Amino acid sequence: MGDTLEKNDLAILIESKNPIIVIESHEESRVTELLTKVAIKLKKPLFGWHLTEGLRRVEMTDSHFAPLDNTQKPDDCLKHIKRMERPGIYVLYDFHPFLDEHHPEQVRLVKDIALQFQKYHQTLVFVSHKLKLPEEIRRFSARF
């Protein structure tokens, strides 16, 4: 029952047009499983990003998608998402080191994607053990 409630709550957050969702958890695989179920339920593509791999399609369990070229670096990943201009859920794992005053380009790219939400319906989901969003993008976010 708890998993179903979590899935419904997360789906509601995404359907409520929150451009950014923050999930603080040490259970990355459980979060990925939950997001996969939500993406399938909402009929949205799910992409996941890791610094070591780059951005790749996640929810398609019957096939293995290779990471997209030139998406390993945080700014390249965000530029790619912004250029895609397609609805989807984009999960960025352990992105917390790249969202501070030392990384203004990443913060601006996140804000650009959030500002274009009404047009492209791209939801960024940040998954980390701890994450504090900068003030300029916090207003676009919801916590799960």
Side-chain angles (χ1 to χ4, degrees), residues 13-141:
L13 273 182
I14 293 170
E15 289 181 314
S16 296
K17 299 180 170 75
N18 291 293
I20 301 169
I21 296 173
V22 174
I23 302 175
E24 290 183 345
S25 175
H26 291 282
E27 299 180 68
E28 192 173 294
S29 59
R30 185 167 179 258
V31 170
T32 301
E33 183 181 323
L34 184 61
L35 283 163
T36 299
K37 289 176 184 177
V38 168
I40 291 168
K41 176 183 177 183
L42 298 178
K43 297 180 172 77
K44 290 188 172 213
L46 177 67
F47 293 85
W49 177 87
H50 294 88
L51 182 61
T52 56
E53 297 178 9
L55 190 67
R56 76 167 64 223
R57 191 80 181 258
V58 175
E59 89 286 359
M60 306 293 285
T61 57
D62 57 341
S63 60
H64 179 74
F65 286 90
L68 300 169
D69 290 336
N70 302 315
T71 59
Q72 286 76 19
K73 293 181 182 175
D75 54 333
D76 291 338
C77 173
L78 292 170
K79 286 176 187 175
H80 186 86
I81 292 169
K82 186 178 174 189
R83 277 194 312 269
M84 283 177 70
E85 299 179 347
R86 72 177 283 194
I89 302 168
Y90 300 85
V91 188
L92 306 171
Y93 298 94
D94 298 321
F95 211 83
H96 60 278
F98 310 109
L99 292 174
D100 63 18
E101 67 275 0
H102 303 295
H103 298 92
E105 184 175 11
Q106 280 90 304
V107 173
R108 182 64 224 193
L109 284 164
V110 169
K111 186 175 181 180
D112 288 346
I113 294 166
L115 288 169
Q116 295 179 14
F117 181 83
Q118 293 302 322
K119 188 172 183 181
Y120 300 119
H121 303 282
Q122 296 172 315
T123 303
L124 298 178
V125 180
F126 293 103
V127 178
S128 184
H129 71 287
K130 186 172 174 127
L131 181 71
K132 183 176 189 267
L133 292 177
E135 193 64 40
E136 60 264 41
I137 58 177
R138 190 174 309 139
R139 71 182 184 98
F140 299 107
S141 72

